[in-house]
């Protein structure tokens, strides 16, 4: 397509999504991708797309300047050298061409019947059709026909009839912003009241047939295909919106923290392997044979050292790496907003971070988040909701029925568990008695199978509350009426309610399974109010967790978390009862931030290491640099890290973390677009002092061989 050369190099004067009614009458230049093309018998409409949105472009051939046509075309000054013209035509990928001769003045289209049309004081052009391939004889014949009509051939355009502007072509358009005709506005588009009347159009680049449709709002393409062509997937308006909002979140985070005295740092990516909970990604060192760096799971140790160095307020939007099993909200590399503060307690950290959360949601969604956020202890969160990140958008709190049932039932399954010190936990689905059929509630029924699959339990016993307030079930006979009514009263049941009960030898596990059942029922029956934002601080976590497999205590958070001052003397005698000065921020059932007050005294740190089985030699080997730093006047300090990607998932209400990371990995940790991880040569491995491992292949007899 020909156009004045200035258009190609002129910067855009506006983004598509920014054009409004206030721009009517202005001449602007838009550049972007063809989202949709609609041909209305010569009048062509294009939805042009860039990062800011869509703009309708109306291309009326009568409105175009002299040297512009719709399609791929070539403009030549015809001087009678038909051979040169034919040679040019043969290089075009086309089925048929339209030869146009013009006189002086405006260029207008003739009707398809070839009848001339007047244009002001000038004769209009004559239209003649030829079939491909165009030959020298065709050109001479048409030139003679034009001359016979008294028209002087001064310019020739050859326009492809089939190779026209298509979806995902990159084009530039210069034109006037005009109001759309009455009845043609589109309230679904930000720019729906206006359109661009094209004066010049230029194709900047073409595009072959797409592997999937980018302009399909109900895209059902397999994720594997979209990840393979991630650069096309990222063109979709839905994903473009995600990353424009991600950019706003970056800015809001930096603005808030910088305005509140935090200093941005970058900490090393190549660090020392240290036990921090998850598995490290290791990087072999070429210069130090047999030794390895570790990619950071978090900048934990470095930010504590920055506190020792006197930078009392630190932050970093940090890349972190953990070699662990992947889920919908987990990737091997992710982003966190890492924060540390000196001379603070729990309340100081929480107050500052509530301000950050409010700023993040205000900048991205325009929502004023009320503060302060409610707080709940870890023990109460588990007891009431079965989760340390409870979703408060619906009720269904847990009921501990252990005391009501112990020694008062003949139901053998419950009896055995209760006699061994276990627990029975129940949840009530208000008004849900008629929503579950007896068949589904049978142990081999669909509901019970789903309970087993999603909670890890062996199923859930149940009671329906009858009109008289008594409870009915296949296990009713194992409980006296007195006990049944006491159960109903303790759970606040009313006629039409249904109670589900899960038992386990450990109260913590019974609560966990009941909490999973709570979420399952809420999702299945649309009990969650998705218009609500329910932030919640969970505090007073356990400092240690007992590892049943290794028969020892290990850090519940990380080994640098400070014990609660009231519990510090029980570190050696009763480590399981020691609380941590740790806090998590939950939002709608997801943990979006977590942190703690740190240990700043080397003697307390040594006691913690000893409690988790790290002797002095191992502590010195793994954490010597931190222990040394703590001896040099380390201030009291604490911090937190926001899961940046998880915050964005909540803001955008998406279910997969891959929708907020530009180039994510699959659940197998691979990048389908680049093919990472990939093979390396034996020479590269030898440089890194690594012995190549030969892959096994199979011979014809099926026996493996190297």
């Amino acid at each position: 397509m020909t156009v004045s050369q200035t258009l190609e190099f002129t910067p855009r004067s506006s983004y598509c999504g920014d054009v409004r009614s206030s721009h009517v009458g202005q001449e602007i230049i838009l550049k972007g991708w063809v989202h949709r093309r609609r041909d209305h018998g010569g009048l062509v409409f294009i939805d042009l797309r860039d990062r800011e949105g869509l703009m309708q472009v109306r291309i009326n051939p009568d409105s175009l300047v002299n040297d512009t046509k719709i399609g791929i075309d070539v403009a030549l000054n015809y001087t009678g050298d038909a051979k040169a013209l034919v040679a040019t035509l043969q290089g075009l990928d086309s089925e048929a061409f339209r030869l146009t001769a013009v006189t002086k003045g405006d260029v207008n289209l003739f009707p398809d019947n070839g009848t001339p049309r007047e244009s002001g004081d000038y004769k209009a052009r004559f239209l003649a059709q030829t079939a491909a391939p165009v030959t020298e004889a065709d050109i001479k014949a048409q030139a003679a026909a034009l001359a016979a009509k008294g028209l002087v051939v001064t310019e020739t355009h050859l326009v492809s009839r089939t190779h026209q502007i298509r979806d995902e072509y990159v084009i530039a358009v210069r034109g006037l912003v005009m109001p759309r005709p009455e009845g043609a506005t589109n309230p679904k588009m930000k720019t729906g009241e206006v359109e661009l009347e094209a004066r010049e159009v230029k194709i900047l680049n073409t595009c072959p047939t797409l592997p999937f449709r980018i302009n399909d709002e109900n895209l059902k393409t397999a994720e594997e295909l979209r990840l393979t062509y991630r650069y096309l997937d990222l063109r979709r308006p839905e994903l473009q919106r995600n990353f424009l909002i991600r950019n706003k979140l970056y800015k809001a985070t930096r603005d808030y923290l910088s305005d509140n005295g935090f200093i941005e740092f970058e900490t090393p990516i190549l660090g020392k392997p240290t036990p921090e909970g998850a598995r490290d990604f290791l990087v072999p060192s070429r210069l130090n044979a047999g030794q390895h760096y570790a990619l950071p799971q978090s900048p934990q140790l470095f930010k504590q050292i920055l506190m020792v160095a006197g930078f009392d307020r630190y932050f970093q939007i940090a890349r972190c790496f953990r070699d662990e099993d992947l889920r919908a909200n987990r990737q091997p590399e992710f982003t966190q907003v890492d924060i540390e503060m000196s001379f603070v307690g729990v309340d100081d950290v929480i107050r500052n971070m509530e301000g950050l959360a409010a700023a993040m949601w205000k900048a991205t969604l325009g929502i004023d988040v009320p503060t302060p956020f409610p707080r709940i202890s870890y023990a109460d969160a588990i007891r009431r909701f079965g989760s340390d990140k409870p979703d408060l958008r619906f009720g269904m709190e847990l009921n501990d029925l252990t005391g009501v049932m112990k020694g008062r039932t003949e139901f053998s399954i419950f009896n055995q568990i209760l006699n061994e010190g276990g627990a029975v936990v129940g949840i009530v689905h208000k008004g849900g008695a008629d929503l579950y059929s007896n068949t589904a509630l049978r142990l081999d029924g669909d509901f019970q199978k789903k309970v087993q699959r999603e909670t890890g339990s062996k199923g859930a016993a149940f009671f329906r509350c009858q009109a008289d307030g008594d409870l009915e079930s296949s296990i009713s006979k194992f409980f006296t009426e007195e006990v049944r009514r006491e159960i109903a009263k303790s759970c606040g049941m009313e006629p039409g309610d249904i109670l589900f009960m899960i038992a386990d030898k450990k109260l913590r596990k019974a609560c966990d399974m009941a909490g999973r059942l709570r979420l399952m029922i809420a999702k299945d029956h649309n009990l969650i109010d998705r218009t609500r934002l329910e932030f919640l601080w969970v505090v007073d976590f356990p400092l240690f967790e007992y590892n049943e497999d290794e028969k020892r205590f290990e850090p519940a958070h990380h080994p640098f978390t400070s014990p609660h001052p009231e519990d510090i003397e029980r570190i050696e005698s009763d480590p399981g009862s020691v609380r941590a000065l740790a806090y998590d921020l939950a939002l709608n059932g997801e943990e979006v931030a977590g942190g703690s007050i740190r240990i700043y005294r080397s003697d307390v740190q040594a006691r913690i290491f000893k409690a988790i089985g790290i002797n002095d030699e191992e502590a010195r080997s793994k954490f010597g640099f931190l222990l040394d730093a703590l001896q040099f006047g380390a201030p009291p300090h604490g911090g937190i890290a926001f899961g940046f990607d998880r915050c964005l998932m909540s803001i955008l209400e998406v279910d997969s973390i891959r929708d907020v990371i530009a180039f994510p990995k699959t659940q197998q940790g691979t990048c389908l677009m680049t093919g990472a991880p990939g093979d390396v040569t034996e020479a590269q491995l030898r440089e890194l002092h690594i012995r190549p491992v030969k892959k096994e292949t199979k011979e014809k007899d099926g026996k493996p061989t190297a």
Side-chain angles (χ1 to χ4, degrees), residues 190-235:
K190 291 189 298 182
T191 60
E193 295 182 352
V194 291
E195 62 183 12
L196 188 68
E197 185 180 89
R199 291 290 183 267
E200 293 181 281
V201 181
K202 186 175 185 65
I203 293 178
L204 303 177
N205 208 347
T206 61
C207 180
T209 301
L210 297 170
F212 57 88
R213 293 185 62 186
I214 291 172
N215 60 17
D216 187 354
E217 296 178 358
N218 299 310
L219 185 67
K220 292 183 173 61
T221 303
E223 186 179 42
E224 291 78 6
L225 183 62
R226 292 194 291 111
L227 291 178
T228 300
Y229 296 93
R230 185 62 167 177
Y231 41 85
L232 297 179
D233 195 31
L234 287 171
R235 287 187 192 174

Side-chain angles (χ1 to χ4, degrees), residues 428-433 463-466 471 491-499:
V428 176
H429 184 176
K430 303 293 292 182
F463 282 123
R464 286 189 176 97
C465 189
Q466 304 301 297
L471 301 183
C491 295
M493 294 182 71
E494 297 174 325
D497 296 346
I498 186 169
L499 168 69

Side-chain angles (χ1 to χ4, degrees), residues 479-509:
F479 300 81
T480 66
E481 182 179 347
E482 178 186 1
V483 173
R484 294 197 301 266
R485 290 187 178 275
E486 193 171 334
I487 291 171
K489 182 179 180 181
S490 67
C491 295
M493 294 182 71
E494 297 174 325
D497 296 346
I498 186 169
L499 168 69
F500 294 103
M501 297 164 287
I502 289 180
D504 193 82
K505 294 179 180 179
K506 292 189 175 180
L507 174 61
R508 174 67 178 84
K509 188 173 181 181

Side-chain angles (χ1 to χ4, degrees), residues 232-306:
L232 297 179
D233 195 31
L234 287 171
R235 287 187 192 174
R236 293 194 296 121
E238 295 85 353
L239 285 189
Q240 295 244 319
R241 176 202 63 152
N242 291 357
F243 291 96
L244 291 175
I245 291 179
R246 187 180 180 108
N247 183 66
K248 288 183 179 180
L249 196 58
Y250 281 133
K251 185 177 185 303
T253 299
R254 282 195 165 95
D255 287 349
Y256 174 86
L257 293 172
S258 297
D259 291 346
N260 283 274
F262 289 83
I263 303 170
E264 185 169 7
F265 274 87
E266 292 180 345
T267 54
I269 292 295
L270 297 177
K272 184 176 182 179
T274 56
E276 292 188 47
R279 187 182 295 110
D280 283 330
F281 280 103
L282 299 177
V283 181
S285 171
R286 179 180 62 84
L287 300 177
N288 301 276
Q291 295 186 306
H292 296 75
Y293 301 103
L295 303 183
Q297 295 185 32
S298 74
Q300 180 63 47
L301 302 182
F302 288 105
K303 68 181 180 181
Q304 288 192 248
I305 287 176
L306 285 170

Side-chain angles (χ1 to χ4, degrees), residues 85 144 334 449 472 588 682 691:
L85 182 57
F334 56 95
K449 288 179 180 178
E472 177 274 330
N588 296 348
E682 291 191 10
R691 183 182 296 112

Side-chain angles (χ1 to χ4, degrees), residues 515-585:
R516 294 173 187 269
L517 178 58
R518 172 181 179 264
L519 287 173
M520 187 191 93
I521 292 173
K523 291 176 182 177
D524 287 349
H525 296 280
N526 296 318
L527 303 179
I528 301 173
D529 183 354
R530 300 190 180 277
T531 65
R532 291 167 57 184
L533 284 177
E534 293 290 347
F535 286 94
L536 176 72
W537 288 105
V538 181
V539 299
D540 292 340
F541 281 78
L543 186 64
F544 303 107
E545 291 178 343
Y546 190 71
N547 187 318
E548 293 284 357
D549 296 331
E550 299 184 14
K551 306 300 180 185
R552 67 179 180 86
F553 283 98
E554 56 189 17
H557 193 56
H558 57 61
F560 318 108
T561 300
S562 179
H564 198 289
E566 296 176 4
D567 303 341
I568 195 168
E569 294 307 319
R570 297 198 302 275
I571 290 175
E572 292 82 10
S573 61
D574 188 10
S577 70
V578 178
R579 294 168 296 166
L581 292 180
Y583 32 82
D584 281 358
L585 180 59

